[in-house]
Amino acid sequence: MTSITIALSKGRIFDDTAPLLKAAGVVALDDPETSRKLILATNRDNVRLIIVRASDVPTYVQYGAADMGIAGKDVLLEHGGSGLYQPLDLHIARCRMMVAVRDDFDYESAVRRGARLRVATKYLHTAREHFAEKGMHVDLIKLYGSMELAPLVGLADAIVDLVSSGNTLKANHLKAVEEIMPISARLIVNQAALKLKRETIQPMLDAFSAAIGQCEETTAQP
Ligand code: ATP
Ligand code: MG
């Protein structure tokens, strides 16, 4: 039987993915949160997991170093998706890509005046497209994390970032002013692997889609 490698990231995505993997009959032999191993064996001889940075998942799958992986739509949009087949929205790690500003900043009027805003973000591609669609001129500043700080210290007028509860924004006296798009994690598959290893990959895809159905039914119960 052919072996497959699945690329995952720790943290949010793994927390939400473990139950789906389990439903697909795959259980890691070590806990990735506590283990220092980057390659994890599973209960299945022909399935292993590799643990990479969230934003590196599409790259491992694109080059075939992993056959499949789970990545946020935010990460996939920045990567561009080349060489990747994206068969499933897993409906996990859900949040929204938003524009946020200091809570004393009048974003609407800045937009109406056609002010040229400075926008700090990790998501350059998504931000560029969004403001171009609105016909706004912005200067984008690339950051790698803690975007919330930028408007507080005068680095930027606005940020483009992921928001789920809004608590981080609130704690930093920021407000969300525009939703760019809803975000969730996607299953991605290397296009060549899908053809060459279909006998192993297809049953996993089927199990994942059945598991998503099940999870939705369970959460729909009162
Ligand atoms: P790193 O921490 O390695 O720099 P990261 O910050 O992208 O990478 P996580 O914070 O674990 O890693 O986020 C991984 C994915 O989880 C994101 O790409 C996104 O799809 C999703 N995610 C991020 N923030 C949230 C959030 N606030 N709510 C729900 N899902 C989120
Ligand atoms: Mg993080």
Side-chain angles (χ1 to χ4, degrees):
M1 197 176 215
T2 47
S3 295
I4 59 166
T5 299
I6 305 176
L8 298 174
S9 55
K10 291 189 192 187
R12 259 181 267 267
I13 296 235
F14 190 85
D15 296 342
D16 286 4
T17 302
L20 287 179
L21 279 173
K22 195 168 174 205
V26 176
V27 179
L29 298 186
D30 289 290
D31 177 359
E33 296 301 340
T34 52
S35 170
R36 288 163 189 267
K37 291 183 189 168
L38 298 175
I39 302 181
L40 300 181
T42 71
N43 62 318
R44 286 178 48 179
D45 283 346
N46 68 329
V47 180
R48 63 176 184 170
L49 309 179
I50 61 172
I51 306 300
V52 305
R53 282 289 287 266
S55 46
D56 291 334
V57 169
T59 308
Y60 278 85
V61 179
Q62 172 189 8
Y63 288 98
D67 300 294
M68 44 202 282
I70 295 175
K73 185 180 178 189
D74 52 320
V75 162
L76 290 167
L77 288 170
E78 294 299 309
H79 171 271
S82 97
L84 302 177
Y85 171 59
Q86 298 182 34
L88 282 179
D89 179 348
L90 298 173
H91 300 288
I92 58 171
R94 292 171 91 145
C95 52
R96 292 177 295 162
M97 184 76 73
M98 310 276 295
V99 180
V101 297
R102 275 166 63 140
D103 56 19
D104 59 1
F105 185 83
D106 189 347
Y107 180 74
E108 293 307 322
S109 106
V111 172
R112 255 183 279 120
R113 286 197 319 270
R116 189 174 183 116
L117 297 185
R118 283 209 297 192
V119 179
T121 187
K122 181 163 142 182
Y123 304 103
L124 285 187
H125 181 82
T126 304
R128 192 177 295 118
E129 293 234 311
H130 173 72
F131 292 109
E133 253 168 47
K134 286 179 62 96
M136 279 174 67
H137 290 285
V138 295
D139 294 311
L140 293 176
I141 299 175
K142 167 81 181 182
L143 289 178
Y144 292 87
S146 303
M147 269 83 82
E148 295 85 1
L149 181 62
L152 306 181
V153 295
L155 178 63
D157 305 300
I159 59 172
V160 167
D161 197 5
L162 298 175
V163 179
S164 46
S165 67
N167 288 339
T168 309
L169 292 183
K170 211 173 291 167
N172 289 293
H173 307 287
L174 301 175
K175 61 183 176 187
V177 287
E178 231 162 44
E179 170 163 344
I180 300 181
M181 68 179 80
I183 298 289
S184 56
R186 311 296 159 110
L187 188 68
I188 55 174
V189 183
N190 175 275
Q191 284 173 350
L194 182 63
K195 294 194 192 100
L196 297 170
K197 302 184 177 181
R198 195 179 268 281
E199 63 188 71
T200 309
I201 292 177
Q202 190 61 51
M204 299 255 341
L205 296 185
D206 295 342
F208 269 105
S209 49
I212 307 166
Q214 269 171 26
C215 292
E216 279 173 349
E217 272 161 39
T218 335
T219 48
Q221 306 276 320

